[in-house]
Amino acid sequence: MPKESLTVTDNRTGKQYEIAISNDSIRAADFKQIRFKADDQGLVTYDPALTNTATCTSRITYIDGNKGILRYRGYPIEELAEKSTYLETAYLIVKGELPDARHLAMWRHNITLHTMVHENIKKFMDGFRYDAHPMGILVSTIGALSTFYPDAKNIHDLESRRLQTRRLIGKVPTLAAWAYRRLRGLPFNLPDNELSYAGNFLKMLFRMTERDYKPNPVLERALDVLFVLHADHEQNCSTNAVRAVASSQVDPYSAVAAGVAALYGPLHGGANEAVVRMLQEIGSIEHVPEAIKRFKAGDGRLMGFGHRVYRNYDPRGKIIKKLAYEVFEVTGKNPLIDIALELERIALEDEYFVSRKLYPNVDFYSGIIYQAMGFPVELFPVLFAIPRTSGWLAQWAELVRDPEQKITRPRQLYVGSEERHWSPLEGRSEPEMREEAVSDKI
Ligand code: ACO
C-alpha cells in the first residue's frame, strides 16, 4: 500500500513536513505549521475563487466534470429527468432517499400546505417600482419571510428545520409568480393545490379570467423536468453563498435569500437570460461566424458555454436540447434555436473552444425553451431559483449537522500599505499624486 501522505520540503528552512492525504485531499490547515520565522502565521493556501479548494464534505450531488456525469444522491440525472418528478427529486435531495408512495403523498401534502404567503407580503411587493426585476423582488421577499417565522432561528432543532424546508419549497413559486404578475401589472393568482408543483406555478403565472385554468400537460411536464435538472449542483456560487451565510447560524430564509442574490448574476443564474439576449443580438445564422470571432478576441463571451467543473458536455444541456423539440411541438419553433445550433456547431469545431474544453452548459438551451413557453427573460433566473431552493436547503441542513463546520472565514494575503500615520488636511497632496498611491479606483 502506498503511504497516504505528502512529504513537503520547505526550501527556505530545509525542514520537512508530512501532510496526510485523505479522500484525495490535503487539509489546508496542515500547512499552518510550515513557518519561516517562529512568529509568522505559517503558510496559507491561496485560491481566489476557490477553484481547487473543497470547503465541505457532502453526500448530496456528485459531478464528474471530465466525464459529464451528474448524480443526485447517487441517481443519474438522466434517470431522474426521465422518470421522476420535481417534488420526488426534492424529497430525494433533502432527505437522501427516494420516498415510497406514502411518504411521497405526505411530502406533497406538507409542501402544498405552505403555498400561501402572508397578506402583508403583497403590501411590500407593492412598494417596488413598476418595472422591478422579479429576482430583486424574490431576494427581498424570501429574506423578509424570516420576520414572519421567527421560529426559523432554531436551526439546531430538526422539526424546525423540516418545517422551514417545507415552507420555503412551498412558498417560493408563489413569491416568484407574484413578482412576475406585478411586473405585468396583473392581479395575483392564489395557489391551486390540486395541481402539480409545476402546474400550480404555471397557473399562478398565466391564469387570466378563465375559471378553470388547465396547464398544457406537455409544457407542465417540460417545466417539471427543467426543475429536476436545476434542483442541485453541489458547491456552485449560490450554494456557496447559502453555506457561507448560513455558517453564521442565521435563519434559512436569510441564507436562501443570499443564494438567490448570487444566482441573480449574469455568470450564474442570469446566464440563460444573457444567452437569449446574445442570440437576439446575433440575429441570424449568417452573423454567427462574425460573433464567434468577436468572442475569441475577448469582445464578450459566448454565453451558455463553458463551466467551472464541466470540461465536457453538461449532461443537463443534452437533456434540455432534446426537451426543446418537445416544447416546440406545442409552442412552435423558437427561431433562436437555429442560431444556437449553428453557434454550437462552429464552436465545437473551433480550436479556441476545443482547447479550453468549452462546451454548452445548462443555460445554452434553457432560455430558448423558456422563451418559447412564454416566459419573459426577466423570469429566467427566477425559474432557476425555484427548484434550486430544495438543493440550497439540503446543503444548509448538511452544513448545520456537520460537526466540522464553523463560521466561514477565509484568509487573505494583505498587499496594501505598511503602517502609516494620519496627517492634517492642509498638508495633504492630491490622493492620486502621492508616491505610494495604489491604482485601485473605487
Ligand atoms: N466564451 C469565450 N471564452 C470563454 C468562455 C466563453 N463562454 N468561457 C471561458 N472562456 C475562456 C476564458 O476567456 C479563458 O480563456 P484564457 O485562458 O485565454 O484566459 C478560459 O476560457 C477559461 O475561462 P475562465 O473564465 O477562467 O473559466 P471559469 O471556470 O472561471 O469560468 C464560466 C466559468 C464563468 C462559466 C465561464 O465559462 C463563462 O463566463 N461562461 C459564460 C457564462 C455562462 O454561461 N455561465 C453559466 C454557467 S452555468 C451556471 O451557472 C448554471
Side-chain angles (χ1 to χ4, degrees):
M1 272 290 274
K3 214 170 169 193
E4 288 287 298
S5 70
L6 198 70
T7 303
V8 176
T9 307
D10 183 347
N11 293 322
R12 300 170 304 174
T13 58
K15 281 194 191 159
Q16 276 203 341
Y17 302 84
E18 192 157 333
I19 310 280
I21 297 178
S22 109
N23 252 338
D24 284 338
S25 70
I26 47 167
R27 288 196 173 244
D30 286 350
F31 284 81
K32 260 188 181 172
Q33 60 180 309
I34 305 181
R35 292 196 168 90
F36 184 45
K37 290 189 232 130
D39 63 344
D40 73 24
Q41 296 184 19
L43 282 188
V44 294
T45 53
Y46 178 56
D47 188 5
L50 302 176
T51 55
N52 194 34
T53 296
T55 57
C56 61
T57 56
S58 182
R59 296 175 185 278
I60 302 168
T61 292
Y62 172 78
I63 299 176
D64 183 329
N66 292 326
K67 296 191 185 136
I69 293 173
L70 169 61
R71 296 180 199 137
Y72 298 154
R73 303 281 187 184
Y75 292 94
I77 192 67
E78 293 80 2
E79 278 178 36
L80 294 170
E82 193 191 329
K83 298 181 179 140
S84 185
T85 61
Y86 172 67
L87 272 192
E88 185 187 67
T89 299
Y91 183 104
L92 170 70
I93 286 177
V94 168
K95 295 183 181 280
E97 291 298 326
L98 281 171
D100 60 10
R102 190 172 69 87
H103 282 87
L104 183 59
M106 267 167 32
W107 174 247
R108 202 187 126 67
H109 170 79
N110 287 338
I111 301 284
T112 48
L113 199 66
H114 292 291
T115 49
M116 299 284 279
V117 295
H118 195 288
E119 281 294 291
N120 283 8
I121 288 187
K122 284 185 186 162
K123 287 194 197 138
F124 61 74
M125 270 197 177
D126 269 344
F128 286 93
R129 223 173 73 155
Y130 69 97
D131 59 351
H133 196 293
M135 234 9 208
I137 299 184
L138 200 62
V139 173
S140 322
T141 47
I142 291 180
L145 286 180
S146 73
T147 65
F148 292 84
Y149 305 112
D151 58 312
K153 66 178 182 303
N154 302 324
I155 60 161
H156 297 296
D157 177 56
L158 173 64
E159 280 316 312
S160 173
R161 283 206 303 272
R162 286 182 172 163
L163 178 58
Q164 314 318 325
T165 299
R166 299 195 290 256
R167 279 180 175 150
L168 262 163
I169 296 175
K171 289 181 201 312
V172 164
T174 311
L175 298 176
W178 287 5
Y180 165 78
R181 298 287 289 194
R182 209 191 156 280
L183 185 69
R184 285 279 176 273
L186 293 165
F188 299 154
N189 285 319
L190 290 177
D192 180 344
N193 290 346
E194 298 302 310
L195 295 176
S196 72
Y197 191 80
N200 168 49
F201 178 59
L202 286 171
K203 179 170 178 180
M204 286 192 290
L205 282 177
F206 295 133
R207 178 180 163 266
M208 300 305 274
T209 54
E210 17 350 354
R211 182 178 292 189
D212 195 20
Y213 174 95
K214 284 265 175 285
N216 179 296
V218 176
L219 302 187
E220 182 182 356
R221 174 64 193 151
L223 186 61
D224 202 61
V225 173
L226 286 158
F227 282 177
V228 170
L229 299 181
H230 286 89
D232 194 56
H233 210 236
E234 52 119 303
Q235 306 312 311
N236 53 84
C237 174
S238 57
T239 302
N240 183 55
V242 169
R243 278 184 175 260
V245 170
S247 77
S248 74
Q249 304 200 344
V250 75
D251 66 88
Y253 301 98
S254 305
V256 168
V260 181
L263 196 60
Y264 199 173
L267 295 188
H268 192 11
N272 50 13
E273 181 175 342
V275 170
V276 168
R277 292 192 198 284
M278 172 192 77
L279 295 174
Q280 283 167 337
E281 253 172 58
I282 294 174
S284 75
I285 291 183
E286 296 77 67
H287 299 146
V288 166
E290 180 54 36
I292 294 269
K293 219 188 262 176
R294 273 194 285 113
F295 300 139
K296 284 164 55 178
D299 177 6
R301 284 197 164 189
L302 174 48
M303 298 309 286
F305 255 67
H307 199 278
R308 175 60 60 77
V309 289
Y310 292 116
R311 301 299 176 189
N312 198 325
Y313 263 99
D314 177 337
R316 300 167 301 172
K318 275 192 199 163
I319 299 168
I320 292 182
K321 189 173 169 186
K322 203 167 134 245
L323 197 63
Y325 290 96
E326 290 169 30
V327 168
F328 296 161
E329 290 285 315
V330 177
T331 62
K333 190 167 116 178
N334 183 339
L336 295 181
I337 188 101
D338 293 330
I339 303 174
L341 287 168
E342 184 66 358
L343 275 170
E344 181 183 339
R345 188 186 68 76
I346 298 189
L348 293 182
E349 286 172 358
D350 191 294
E351 198 276 331
Y352 175 95
F353 295 91
V354 173
S355 63
R356 289 170 178 77
K357 298 192 174 150
L358 301 170
Y359 289 86
N361 61 47
V362 66
D363 290 318
F364 194 63
Y365 288 103
S366 64
I368 298 175
I369 299 193
Y370 291 146
Q371 200 187 40
M373 288 171 81
F375 298 117
V377 284
E378 296 88 345
L379 210 62
F380 294 0
V382 172
L383 294 165
F384 193 151
I386 294 171
R388 184 55 58 87
T389 300
S390 58
W392 289 328
L393 289 163
Q395 300 273 351
W396 162 68
E398 199 173 62
L399 169 104
V400 170
R401 294 194 321 267
D402 185 345
E404 276 206 305
Q405 291 292 336
K406 295 179 178 190
I407 187 163
T408 300
R409 205 310 184 181
R411 300 288 299 273
Q412 65 163 15
L413 306 181
Y414 179 71
V415 293
S417 306
E418 295 291 330
E419 183 179 13
R420 48 188 176 165
H421 297 286
W422 188 90
S423 60
L425 263 183
E426 339 37 280
R428 291 183 209 159
S429 56
E430 248 187 76
E432 286 179 19
M433 303 306 286
R434 287 182 212 146
E435 213 176 292
E436 70 278 18
V438 279
S439 57
D440 311 359
K441 296 250 190 319
I442 297 173

